[in-house]
Amino acid sequence: MSEIPKAYEPQSVEERWHQYWSEQNLFQANPSSAKPAYSIVIPPPNVTGVLTLGHVLNNTIQDVLARFSRMKRFEVLWLPGTDHAGIATQSVVEKHLRQQGVMSHRDDLGREKFLEKAWEWKEKHGGIIIQQLKKLGCSCDWTRERFTMDDHYSRCVQKVFVDLYHKGLIYRGKRMVNWCPVSLTALSDEEVIMTEEKGQLWHFRYPCLNDDGTPSSEEHVVVATTRPETMLGDEAVAVNPNDPRYQSLIGRELLLPLQNKRIPVIRDELVDPEFGTGCVKVTPAHDPADYEIGLRHDLPFTVVIAPDGRMNHAAGEDFEGLDRMEARKAVAERMEEEGYLEKVESYTHNVGYSERSHVPIEPYLSEQWFLRYPAVREATEAVADGKIRFFPERWAKSYLHWMENIRDWCISRQLWWGHRIPVWYHRETGEMHCDLEPPKDPENWEQDADVLDTWFSSWLWPFATMGWPEQTETLRKFYPTTDLVTGPDILFFWVARMIMAGYELMGERPFHNVYFTGIIRDKHGRKMSKSLGNSPDPLALIEQYGADALRFGVMRSAPLGQDLLFDEKHVELGRNFCNKLWNACRFRQLQGGETEGEISPSHLTSDDKWILLRLDTAIREITDALEGYRFNEAAQVLYRFLWSEYCDWYIEASKALLQSTVAEVRNNSLAVTDFVLSHALRLLHPFLPFITEELWHGLGYNNGLPSDQGGTTIGFANWPKPLDDDFKQVYGLDESDERFVAAKYDMVTKGRNLRREYKIPSNQRIRYVFKPNAPISEHEKSVLKVLLNAEPLEVSPDMQPPKGTPQVLSQIGELYLPVEGLIDVEAETNRLNRELEKVELEIEKVQTKLNNPNFTQKAPEAVLEEHRQRLHDWQERYNQVKAAVDALKH
RNA sequence: GCGCGGUUAGCUCAGCGGUAGAGCACUACCUUGACACGGUAGGGGUCCCUGGUUCAAGUCCAGGACCGCGCACCA
């Protein structure tokens, strides 16, 4: 810090330190350390993704926890990595290859060639987000970076599949699944987003058939549907068995219009007689509920919609080839033309959308692999009993509800990018081979074409990244992990499944605590999205304001579990705060002198004692907030302490001492400053890793410290402990100092206010006269002089001011602003009378309470005492002001 | 339909049983030797509504209103 710029310039500083940290591998975890373990696994971002504000929030929290724990002398492992994000990555790669003209469909390349290209893509773009996390200051153990498709990790995934298969928990079957007609793959229930949508409800008439098979001209049933195109695959109309209206219909047959097909009327409990007409068209192959009915009644499963969402041959030649949405319109029109349309109503209902492709999900009947969830009981109890704690706690309720209602997980995906299912089918016998090793005679077998859901690999993340299934040193030391930090949007996708995997495969919970962040929205409360273009680029923000500023701004406004409305103003605040810190330290630097000299108790001023006590309070509050995961609170205390206490008051007051020509006085002040700053930097470090590292070294606070306690990096310095009783005794710190200084600063504020009342510019030095209640030292006088910008400051215990002299009253005495020529008795009387009114109001408020016998009898003594004190203070104040008013009258 | 949040200063949000807070914005003054990414002093609030518990209620309880989010196979 030889040349100190007036404004903090984060770019070069941050670049320098993140290189320093990674070159020295400072954050490499040592499994054989004797220190207690603290561990987090990163929620692996998509390998081809880029940093978003959500990542910034999430990873800053993890970094704060990791750095805080390191300073508390834990052996910290923060394990980073990325996941392969099956669908997302595959579609990105496909799009890229199409744009490059390499292929128009992946079948053009074939599986092997395509995967080669995908790996090339991953190698090229896969490191970006990791680089970005480094820029953010994340103190991960980068030597342990993992990827869900690493060889070792892939083997874990396959091993788990094989084991669960042989345990009977994984099975294959033809089921109705959520099908994405764009990605052409099955999805799990969790990947379907239900969206409320305004649609229409078409009411169709299906004519009854006479005994001779001809359609009746009078009798028909009316069915309602939001999806007319599915009627082409109808196989029945169902009514509730107890519905008196339709008893006579049961067993009869209907004509399915357009298809000219006979379909039966059947009875099924599922039908709600209260809804619509009480008659339901049944399309067993294209609706999950109808599928169940189809099974119960042994109906045919007529498929009319192909996997790509277009109508197939069975839909009839008029509709074949139409997209389902076009077919919807066409069918409805045709029905109307042919007189089968009863009416159309507008109708609001929920439509399931593909999370990835943003198109409506198509229920689709196909062969898929399913997992019956393991260790459900243990996983449920762990959260119910508090063995795993959620912050905020309320998410436990969602979790438990989900756990109690889970259905088997569809784990197969019709993709190429991912972990291929380790199952082979014999070409002739059809025999199935499920094993880590392929069959000995591969020419006779064909491997299952599907890959596994990405979450089927990431649910192993907490232990597969640590060397499982081997019982590695790392696993022994760091599993279960301590904290998991993630968004509630992946509670079911990831958190719940990790807990099950932990119990099933490790016999132990994967983490002790789960912290759920809020969701970052824009300043209008909308979710960040690419299409809205309301998602700022964190890298641009880092470039403009610095990573520390971004971290602090986000953390300061991110309360536990509440969504955060992002505004660039927050980052600006962070930048301003860093600049303030920079200049506070710059001021110290400009003073020169020995670094961290000995503090001499006998030279401590009241301001010194005050700031030490405020520091003590800050240490307690910040430590407590961090231990309770209340990061915004910790950030706010840091802000208050540094800005409103240290800079606003202590630095200003210390200027009186620093002017001193007595070396001991000056040096002692510097020693206190160093003590406070070296603590403050450490308290700030988890939030602001870069600037604190820079200042720690720049001010020389690392000098003489052992390498693992702050010599090399502030990241290893000891976390500040509250000042203990011995310390307070030796340095003579007690509450009376705090009270005296608070009263002093209060008087200064009032004194400055007088300037304003009398329109004296704040930079104009002016005469004040102070009439103290008790004798004050020369030092206190000089502090008051500096704080008031007084010249001169006269201390006069016997002051008898001329009538009308502006004055303020305080607990330590009276302060006068004897302005020649400006004395205005009437103005001063008015001013004091306004004050008097305010005081009277307060007295009345307190007195009312104290006069209430219920209050005096039932309130605790401490509260009573506090009220009495308050009343006393106000009354004293009243007397002072009253006396001043009276003095004006004579 | 069930569940979960939110409603406090113009804006964004803390506070969750004992004198209403912060940042931004606003007003006035100030380029005074750390900092204009700044300083000083101000203005600004029936803490959504209605009941209840309590000596005491933004703060706890019940009901309601309005926003938002989950979960749920009503065609």
Side-chain angles (χ1 to χ4, degrees):
Chain A
M1 259 173 99
S2 44
E3 296 256 328
I4 316 155
K6 276 173 80 166
Y8 174 54
E9 289 155 10
Q11 289 75 18
S12 60
V13 170
E14 293 181 355
E15 186 58 30
R16 186 149 36 82
W17 288 113
H18 101 65
Q19 270 180 19
Y20 176 85
W21 296 332
S22 59
E23 274 161 18
Q24 309 212 16
N25 270 335
L26 288 179
F27 306 123
Q28 188 165 10
N30 174 11
S32 47
S33 160
K35 290 193 271 185
Y38 176 90
S39 53
I40 312 186
V41 289
I42 204 169
N46 177 346
V47 68
T48 58
V50 292
L51 203 68
T52 64
L53 280 174
H55 292 125
V56 169
L57 173 63
N58 185 289
N59 288 289
T60 301
I61 290 172
Q62 293 176 66
D63 196 44
V64 167
L65 288 169
R67 289 180 184 273
F68 178 51
S69 301
R70 232 174 251 124
M71 295 175 82
K72 287 198 299 182
R73 309 207 64 66
F74 281 83
E75 184 65 28
V76 171
L77 168 61
W78 181 12
L79 199 153
T82 48
D83 81 22
H84 62 280
I87 299 179
T89 305
Q90 177 161 323
S91 34
V92 167
V93 173
E94 283 180 321
K95 194 173 161 196
H96 169 73
L97 293 176
R98 278 196 303 269
Q99 278 169 357
Q100 300 285 298
V102 176
M103 56 169 227
S104 58
H105 188 272
R106 65 181 194 257
D107 287 337
D108 300 346
L109 282 180
R111 188 167 192 140
E112 245 173 76
K113 260 269 186 283
F114 178 84
L115 285 176
E116 257 174 48
K117 296 279 182 197
W119 276 102
E120 273 173 30
W121 174 270
K122 185 256 167 191
E123 294 309 327
K124 195 168 159 202
H125 298 95
I128 293 177
I129 196 158
I130 293 293
Q131 283 313 310
Q132 292 177 325
L133 288 171
K134 288 179 183 172
K135 279 203 159 177
L136 187 62
C138 294
S139 60
C140 298
D141 180 350
W142 300 109
T143 66
R144 293 175 195 264
E145 187 187 329
R146 297 286 184 268
F147 174 50
T148 48
M149 278 170 69
D150 288 341
D151 287 344
H152 172 265
Y153 201 104
S154 297
R155 210 162 163 83
C156 289
V157 174
Q158 269 147 358
K159 175 186 159 51
V160 169
F161 183 97
V162 171
D163 289 353
L164 294 177
Y165 173 81
H166 290 301
K167 260 186 136 173
L169 291 171
I170 286 179
Y171 62 93
R172 188 171 189 242
K174 192 165 190 180
R175 294 293 145 85
M176 183 72 75
V177 294
N178 305 298
W179 183 263
C180 174
V182 170
S183 313
L184 299 176
T185 177
L187 299 176
S188 68
D189 295 342
E190 288 68 37
E191 285 163 290
V192 179
I193 301 171
M194 299 305 282
T195 319
E196 192 170 274
E197 211 167 73
K198 277 188 185 144
Q200 286 172 297
L201 192 61
W202 284 267
H203 296 252
F204 292 149
R205 285 192 286 265
Y206 289 1
C208 297
L209 289 175
N210 296 322
D211 293 344
D212 61 1
T214 57
S216 159
S217 51
E218 290 107 45
E219 291 177 284
H220 61 258
V221 300
V222 176
V223 294
T225 182
T226 54
R227 302 195 56 195
E229 72 279 14
T230 63
M231 65 82 62
L232 300 169
D234 280 1
E235 289 299 344
V237 166
V239 296
N240 189 286
N242 303 318
D243 192 329
R245 292 172 296 177
Y246 301 117
Q247 293 302 321
S248 64
L249 271 179
I250 290 162
R252 285 191 67 175
E253 288 193 311
L254 308 169
L255 175 73
L256 180 65
L258 310 190
Q259 294 287 48
N260 277 318
K261 191 160 84 177
R262 301 160 74 113
I263 57 170
V265 175
I266 57 173
R267 304 147 39 111
D268 200 286
E269 299 280 355
L270 198 86
V271 179
D272 175 4
E274 305 291 313
F275 188 86
T277 59
C279 299
V280 181
K281 64 188 269 307
V282 180
T283 322
H286 293 289
D287 182 278
D290 294 4
Y291 173 73
E292 297 298 325
I293 297 179
L295 284 180
R296 280 199 287 274
H297 297 271
D298 209 19
L299 299 172
F301 294 87
T302 306
V303 175
V304 293
I305 305 172
D308 65 355
R310 292 177 179 279
M311 307 311 288
N312 67 8
H313 184 68
E317 56 183 18
D318 293 343
F319 304 107
E320 184 178 0
L322 291 183
D323 174 79
R324 51 195 170 141
M325 296 305 161
E326 296 164 359
R328 177 167 306 173
K329 225 176 125 197
V331 168
E333 277 170 13
R334 182 71 62 80
M335 288 293 278
E336 183 170 14
E337 282 164 28
E338 303 204 358
Y340 295 116
L341 181 68
E342 170 107 354
K343 60 175 173 177
V344 188
E345 296 174 318
S346 58
Y347 186 66
T348 304
H349 62 138
N350 291 318
V351 179
Y353 274 75
S354 160
E355 197 199 20
R356 289 284 157 215
S357 311
H358 311 290
V359 295
I361 284 293
E362 195 56 48
Y364 178 61
L365 201 52
S366 58
E367 283 285 345
Q368 301 289 347
W369 287 93
F370 295 89
L371 167 67
R372 198 168 299 136
Y373 284 104
V376 173
R377 190 178 51 82
E378 293 95 315
T380 307
E381 284 173 4
V383 173
D385 302 348
K387 279 201 287 287
I388 295 176
R389 296 185 61 195
F390 283 1
F391 296 84
E393 214 177 344
R394 62 188 150 85
W395 290 110
K397 209 163 172 175
S398 291
Y399 172 87
L400 294 172
H401 181 259
W402 186 79
M403 289 297 281
E404 281 153 17
N405 296 284
I406 41 176
R407 296 190 317 205
D408 294 353
W409 175 12
C410 175
I411 52 173
S412 45
R413 295 290 178 273
Q414 287 65 52
L415 305 172
W416 288 349
W417 179 245
H419 303 101
R420 192 149 176 193
I421 291 178
V423 168
W424 288 260
Y425 307 100
H426 196 275
R427 290 185 204 278
E428 276 151 34
T429 65
E431 188 193 334
M432 209 188 267
H433 171 96
C434 175
D435 196 87
L436 272 176
E437 304 305 325
K440 296 275 186 294
D441 50 341
E443 65 281 5
N444 295 322
W445 299 77
E446 188 155 0
Q447 187 171 4
D448 194 297
D450 292 348
V451 299
L452 291 161
D453 183 1
T454 306
W455 299 107
F456 189 85
S457 54
S458 36
W459 74 328
L460 312 177
W461 190 250
F463 45 89
T465 50
M466 294 192 195
W468 185 85
E470 264 60 70
Q471 260 309 312
T472 60
E473 221 187 344
T474 303
L475 266 181
R476 277 198 300 272
K477 178 80 183 175
F478 294 109
Y479 189 94
T481 63
T482 318
D483 293 326
L484 177 79
V485 179
T486 190
D489 47 335
I490 51 174
L491 172 57
F492 309 139
F493 280 110
W494 194 47
V495 180
R497 288 166 180 164
M498 270 193 290
I499 296 174
M500 291 188 262
Y503 280 105
E504 174 69 13
L505 300 160
M506 292 294 294
E508 169 66 294
R509 64 197 144 168
F511 27 71
H512 293 95
N513 308 297
V514 184
Y515 177 97
F516 291 100
T517 64
I519 292 169
I520 300 210
R521 300 168 179 281
D522 72 7
K523 61 178 158 188
H524 307 291
R526 298 173 306 185
K527 243 180 172 167
M528 299 279 179
S529 81
K530 274 184 199 156
S531 49
L532 275 175
N534 60 349
S535 170
D537 174 10
L539 271 298
L541 292 170
I542 289 176
E543 187 59 35
Q544 190 182 351
Y545 297 102
D548 286 331
L550 178 60
R551 291 167 61 114
F552 195 81
V554 165
M555 293 302 279
R556 189 176 174 279
S557 43
L560 178 59
Q562 289 306 124
D563 287 358
L564 162 64
L565 299 200
F566 182 80
D567 189 327
E568 206 166 309
K569 289 276 180 200
H570 295 153
V571 189
E572 210 175 300
L573 171 110
R575 179 199 57 183
N576 296 351
F577 184 62
C578 288
N579 192 244
K580 192 74 177 176
L581 172 64
W582 180 258
N583 276 290
C585 292
R586 180 168 175 262
F587 177 71
R588 167 63 188 92
Q589 186 78 351
L590 292 171
Q591 302 308 317
E594 187 195 358
T595 299
E596 290 196 277
E598 197 73 16
I599 298 175
S600 148
S602 60
H603 284 102
L604 284 181
T605 67
S606 61
D607 304 287
D608 291 334
K609 292 178 183 178
W610 179 81
I611 196 64
L612 289 169
L613 286 166
R614 295 314 300 157
L615 173 66
D616 178 51
T617 302
I619 294 171
R620 289 171 202 277
E621 290 179 356
I622 292 160
T623 307
D624 194 54
L626 288 179
E627 281 172 351
Y629 302 92
R630 298 186 309 273
F631 303 105
N632 65 318
E633 189 182 312
Q636 285 191 71
V637 175
L638 287 168
Y639 191 96
R640 180 198 74 203
F641 175 72
L642 185 86
W643 201 309
S644 310
E645 294 170 351
Y646 181 72
C647 291
D648 285 355
W649 292 109
Y650 184 72
I651 288 189
E652 295 307 320
S654 74
K655 285 176 181 171
L657 286 173
L658 296 170
Q659 290 165 359
S660 169
T661 48
V662 183
E664 286 162 20
V665 169
R666 211 183 121 78
N667 288 341
N668 203 57
S669 174
L670 293 180
V672 173
T673 294
D674 285 333
F675 183 87
V676 173
L677 279 181
S678 69
H679 280 72
L681 287 175
R682 282 180 281 155
L683 293 169
L684 287 160
H685 179 256
F687 289 85
L688 310 174
F690 294 108
I691 189 173
T692 51
E693 185 81 286
E694 174 77 5
L695 292 167
W696 181 255
H697 292 263
L699 290 170
Y701 296 152
N702 61 322
N703 288 340
L705 291 177
S707 165
D708 65 346
Q709 289 184 41
T712 311
T713 167
I714 188 175
F716 292 147
N718 289 323
W719 184 255
K721 288 195 186 68
L723 308 182
D724 57 30
D725 291 345
D726 278 355
F727 185 100
K728 287 182 183 171
Q729 207 170 7
V730 169
Y731 292 97
L733 313 182
D734 66 66
E735 279 179 30
S736 63
D737 300 303
E738 238 177 338
R739 274 204 304 276
F740 172 77
V741 174
K744 178 167 70 179
Y745 295 164
D746 176 57
M747 187 180 82
V748 168
T749 301
K750 287 174 176 152
R752 288 165 174 170
N753 181 253
L754 268 192
R755 272 179 185 271
R756 189 180 104 102
E757 297 269 354
Y758 286 89
K759 304 224 180 337
I760 297 157
S762 54
N763 62 338
Q764 185 182 328
R765 298 206 163 163
I766 190 159
R767 175 167 167 252
Y768 279 93
V769 181
F770 179 40
K771 183 180 179 183
N773 292 344
I776 63 157
S777 65
E778 273 304 304
H779 164 69
E780 294 295 354
K781 187 182 156 186
S782 66
V783 170
L784 284 172
K785 193 174 151 184
V786 167
L787 294 178
L788 286 164
N789 200 23
E791 185 62 64
L793 178 77
E794 285 170 23
V795 175
S796 160
D798 311 314
M799 173 72 171
Q800 293 294 334
K803 190 165 118 179
T805 303
Q807 61 171 308
V808 291
L809 308 151
S810 83
Q811 285 178 20
I812 61 168
E814 293 160 26
L815 185 69
Y816 299 93
L817 185 66
V819 200
E820 298 290 333
L822 273 177
I823 290 182
D824 178 339
V825 175
E826 198 185 334
E828 185 63 6
T829 309
N830 287 341
R831 206 179 61 78
L832 288 172
N833 275 330
R834 260 182 285 138
E835 165 117 28
L836 211 54
E837 275 171 39
K838 230 167 68 184
V839 175
E840 276 171 336
L841 201 74
E842 293 298 333
I843 289 176
E844 200 187 312
K845 260 163 57 179
V846 186
Q847 210 143 38
T848 311
K849 284 184 99 172
L850 283 169
N851 287 344
N852 181 347
N854 273 327
F855 176 68
T856 47
Q857 277 161 30
K858 293 185 181 167
E861 185 50 35
V863 174
L864 275 175
E865 183 48 39
E866 190 266 330
H867 276 75
R868 285 190 206 110
Q869 181 65 44
R870 208 193 300 166
L871 180 64
H872 175 261
D873 291 349
W874 283 119
Q875 276 168 341
E876 194 172 339
R877 196 159 168 69
Y878 179 87
N879 293 338
Q880 284 179 322
V881 182
K882 190 82 173 76
V885 174
D886 290 345
L888 287 174
K889 289 179 182 160
H890 306 300

